Amino acid sequence: MKTSLTLWLRDNRGFLAFLLAFGLMRTAIADWNPIPSGSMRPTLKEGDMVLVNRVAYDLKVPLTDVSLLQTGEPARGDVVTFSSPLDGTRLIKRIVGLPGDRIALRDGVLWVNGQAARYAPLQRHGELLAPGVVVDAIGTQEQSAPGAAPHAVQWLVQAGASRDWPETLVPEGHYFMLGDNRDNSADSRFIGPVPRRLLIGRAHHVLASLDMLGEDGSRWLPRFERFWTPL
């Protein structure tokens, strides 16, 4: 039996080396994450597959939170994947607060260090929550701080969840996360600021997308217009 195993390993060493390299790449360098919920709508939709750069901020020992080398600094506005400080669930949100920032929400308006974010004119639209379930939503572009790139956000008209948040100082080494779908996101309002060691990587493109909810008329069809769109 030992001889048979040795022969099998020898005959399949190329394939095994490929699997090892592939696993190393996914756990240490680059990864792709499916989007199962609407917490980042309208930026990300259910059925999107996002490409994540795992070495954007740290080079880590594979399968751990141990950093070998810091490779970059998380920036306000980055869309990041991270492990929830509550239960380790992998989440994807947007960084709105850096270490030392003072973050508040007042009637849905984001305040950073005592300055209100700037918003484009509001647009009302129908938002698909589940197959056949559409609710009223309000969408706009938010610029969280001077010099920051604007990004899309939305509120669900009938929800009004946690639109007011007392001013909070982001601790050193931590980041305040919000979902772009402000009334449907379990973010730092519920899980607290996220320590840097739990950041997994920066999401930068939608790699591929399937219409999970039938938003365009038929479920599970590819949404080719979303393939390789930047975040």
Side-chain angles (χ1 to χ4, degrees), residues 2 8 75 77 81-82 88 97 109 112 114 118 130 142 160 193 207 213 222 225:
K2 183 177 179 180
W8 185 88
T81 59
F82 58 94
V109 174
V112 180
R118 303 175 73 174
E142 177 183 84
L207 186 62
L213 301 182
E225 72 280 3

Side-chain angles (χ1 to χ4, degrees), residues 53-201:
N53 180 2
R54 279 180 169 262
V55 293
Y57 310 128
D58 290 271
L59 178 63
K60 294 183 177 181
V61 176
L63 303 177
T64 76
D65 296 325
V66 178
S67 175
L68 300 174
L69 176 70
Q70 290 191 0
T71 57
E73 288 300 321
R76 186 180 291 108
D78 285 358
V79 177
V80 298
T81 59
F82 58 94
S83 298
S84 169
L86 288 184
D87 58 13
T89 301
R90 181 178 293 193
L91 301 174
I92 182 166
K93 309 292 178 188
R94 188 181 299 273
I95 296 176
V96 300
L98 303 176
D101 280 348
R102 291 176 288 112
I103 301 297
L105 286 169
R106 297 169 188 164
D107 196 23
V109 174
L110 174 65
W111 289 71
V112 180
N113 297 324
Q115 187 169 358
R118 303 175 73 174
Y119 296 90
L122 303 180
Q123 302 289 330
R124 198 168 182 124
H125 64 276
E127 177 71 5
L128 188 66
L129 285 187
V133 180
V134 178
V135 298
D136 287 335
I138 297 173
T140 186
Q141 292 282 318
E142 177 183 84
Q143 185 180 20
S144 59
H151 60 272
V153 296
Q154 72 175 27
W155 299 268
L156 304 180
V157 173
Q158 295 175 330
S162 299
R163 291 185 185 170
D164 291 284
W165 188 257
E167 187 171 82
T168 300
L169 179 66
V170 183
E172 286 301 314
H174 289 67
Y175 300 87
F176 200 93
M177 310 290 187
L178 285 180
D180 290 346
N181 196 359
R182 294 289 162 81
D183 289 328
N184 187 22
S185 176
D187 45 40
S188 287
R189 293 169 291 179
F190 304 94
I191 65 174
V194 178
R196 178 178 177 134
R197 65 179 179 83
L198 295 183
L199 301 185
I200 296 172

Side-chain angles (χ1 to χ4, degrees), residues 13-33 49 51-52 54 62-63 90 207:
R13 60 182 180 272
F15 178 65
L16 294 174
F18 167 78
L19 289 180
L20 180 62
F22 181 76
L24 180 63
M25 183 190 75
R26 284 209 64 184
T27 57
I29 300 174
D31 199 359
W32 47 92
N33 280 25
M49 182 77 70
L51 190 61
V52 177
R54 279 180 169 262
L63 303 177
R90 181 178 293 193
L207 186 62

